[in-house]
Amino acid sequence: MKLRCAVLDDYQGVALTSADWSPLTGRVDVRVLREHLPDRDALVAAVEDCEILVVMRERTPVDAALLARLPRLRLLITSGLRNASIDLAACRARGVTVCGTASSSEPPTELTWALLLGLARHVPAEARALREGGPWQSTVGADLSGRTLGLVGLGKIGARVARIGLAFGMDVTAWSPNLKEKRAAEHGVRLAKDKRDLLGGSDFVSLHMVLSDRTRGLIGEPELRAMRPSAYLVNTSRAGLVDGGALLRALREGWIAGAGLDVYETEPLPADDPLRTLPNVLALPHLGYVTEGNYARYFGQAVEDVEAFLAGAPVRELS
């Protein structure tokens, strides 16, 4: 009897064309769900007959309560090798194997710079004016060369962002709770004395931290008020790093010049969320990891994960 597999949140409808699923033919029936299902009852109704689920990053929380309603589930695959929204202990308790895939740090690095450059040169406003017959040049862009880029976090992605900033001729400084001067120096980056020093001295601030209990709300009202009124904040990491209410006030009241955002506490972002309409926000629908190469990696390795599981030798298990 064939197993059943559901691929969740395939927004673009490309999961089955991004990889070769033919190795599973005859053994697994694969279907995709294009729309996100935030309602638990709707989600259970859609996948309760499945032994295998493929989830995208942290779009769908898989906790003990959901697992209890999916008694047929045997294999859970997530894109990436870390997914904070999966209760691994609950999965183990129910005998559900959890596997991941590789994920490249280049795509979110590139999108960080798309947001930063879009803000600096007012790309959305100028492109809209040109398309709609508006004024020919209405803004003056911010220079990057000679300006200060402040990085909150200097891990794999932060270090890549730093190298590009240096190539632009920027002064790059970094801070995180555990960042040491030696690592900063290895990447040609100046270590800030503390968080306030980094925020107050930067023209552009970009966040590259893992969200945890310790880092949630890392950027709140005091930190946003410490930034320059001419400074921009870019967040392609996790929305929870920033106090959302404080950020809205900062944008509305001009504590900072603007923000480039790719992550939100609720996704998809509600239609009436003010972040959709604030003029000093450049917002994208969580595209940081959404590239052809990453999708080929995600879904290609998802197929490998299923094959290995069926062979009794799971690979890339999360623990």
Side-chain angles (χ1 to χ4, degrees):
M1 183 176 177
K2 289 184 182 179
L3 299 180
R4 282 154 292 205
C5 171
V7 180
L8 305 189
D9 300 319
D10 182 18
Y11 293 147
Q12 297 92 351
V14 297
L16 299 185
T17 57
S18 294
D20 178 11
W21 293 77
S22 64
L24 305 183
T25 301
R27 297 186 290 170
V28 181
D29 281 329
V30 182
R31 64 177 185 262
V32 300
L33 303 181
R34 293 285 305 274
E35 301 296 325
H36 180 63
L37 297 175
D39 179 78
R40 279 290 176 92
D41 292 338
L43 176 61
V44 170
V47 304
E48 62 184 342
D49 64 327
C50 293
E51 290 83 10
I52 304 168
L53 291 182
V54 179
V55 300
M56 181 63 74
R57 305 295 289 187
E58 296 172 2
R59 291 177 185 168
T60 303
V62 181
D63 55 22
L66 178 61
L67 290 166
R69 300 180 65 182
L70 301 175
R72 298 180 66 93
L73 185 64
R74 295 169 54 193
L75 174 63
L76 178 63
I77 300 170
T78 176
S79 58
L81 293 171
R82 180 176 58 216
N83 189 329
S85 68
I86 294 176
D87 187 333
L88 295 175
C91 288
R92 285 192 295 271
R94 299 195 69 89
V96 176
T97 300
V98 183
C99 298
T101 73
S103 182
S104 173
S105 58
E106 285 90 347
T109 299
E110 293 164 3
L111 194 82
T112 295
W113 280 100
L115 287 170
L116 197 151
L117 287 165
L119 289 167
R121 300 304 292 270
H122 309 287
V123 170
E126 293 288 4
R128 185 169 55 250
L130 182 65
R131 184 174 60 249
E132 297 174 356
W136 184 264
Q137 297 187 6
S138 61
T139 65
V140 177
D143 294 282
L144 297 187
S145 179
R147 297 293 179 88
T148 299
L149 170 63
L151 301 175
V152 180
L154 196 64
K156 286 193 298 184
I157 296 174
R160 289 183 180 276
V161 172
R163 287 203 294 272
I164 297 169
L166 292 169
F168 273 119
M170 302 185 79
D171 172 32
V172 183
T173 183
W175 172 89
S176 72
N178 298 315
L179 181 61
K180 304 299 182 184
E181 190 166 356
K182 180 182 177 182
R183 176 169 175 80
E186 288 172 351
H187 293 284
V189 172
R190 178 168 51 86
L191 178 65
K193 290 187 298 183
D194 52 37
K195 182 169 53 172
R196 288 292 192 91
D197 177 53
L198 178 129
L199 294 168
S202 298
D203 299 292
F204 300 89
V205 175
S206 189
L207 308 183
H208 302 286
M209 295 283 289
V210 173
L211 182 62
S212 66
D213 291 339
R214 187 176 63 155
T215 61
R216 182 173 294 278
L218 188 69
I219 306 298
E221 180 170 337
E223 289 77 20
L224 290 166
R225 287 191 179 276
M227 291 177 63
R228 299 171 178 175
S230 59
Y232 294 94
L233 178 72
V234 176
N235 188 5
T236 57
S237 294
R238 289 291 181 266
L241 296 172
V242 183
D243 180 325
L247 178 60
L248 279 177
R249 291 194 300 275
L251 293 165
R252 284 169 169 161
E253 298 175 18
W255 308 350
I256 61 176
L261 305 174
D262 189 46
V263 288
Y264 312 93
E265 286 285 7
T266 300
E267 296 185 10
L269 192 64
D272 60 351
D273 194 292
L275 291 174
R276 288 183 178 265
T277 56
L278 283 173
N280 54 351
V281 172
L282 175 51
L284 295 175
H286 204 157
L287 297 175
Y289 55 88
V290 181
T291 66
E292 295 171 353
N294 244 4
Y295 269 32
R297 194 173 292 108
Y298 289 167
F299 295 117
Q301 292 192 8
V303 174
E304 294 174 2
D305 287 348
V306 175
E307 285 189 283
F309 176 79
L310 295 178
V315 294
R316 292 184 286 270
E317 283 193 78
L318 275 61
S319 59

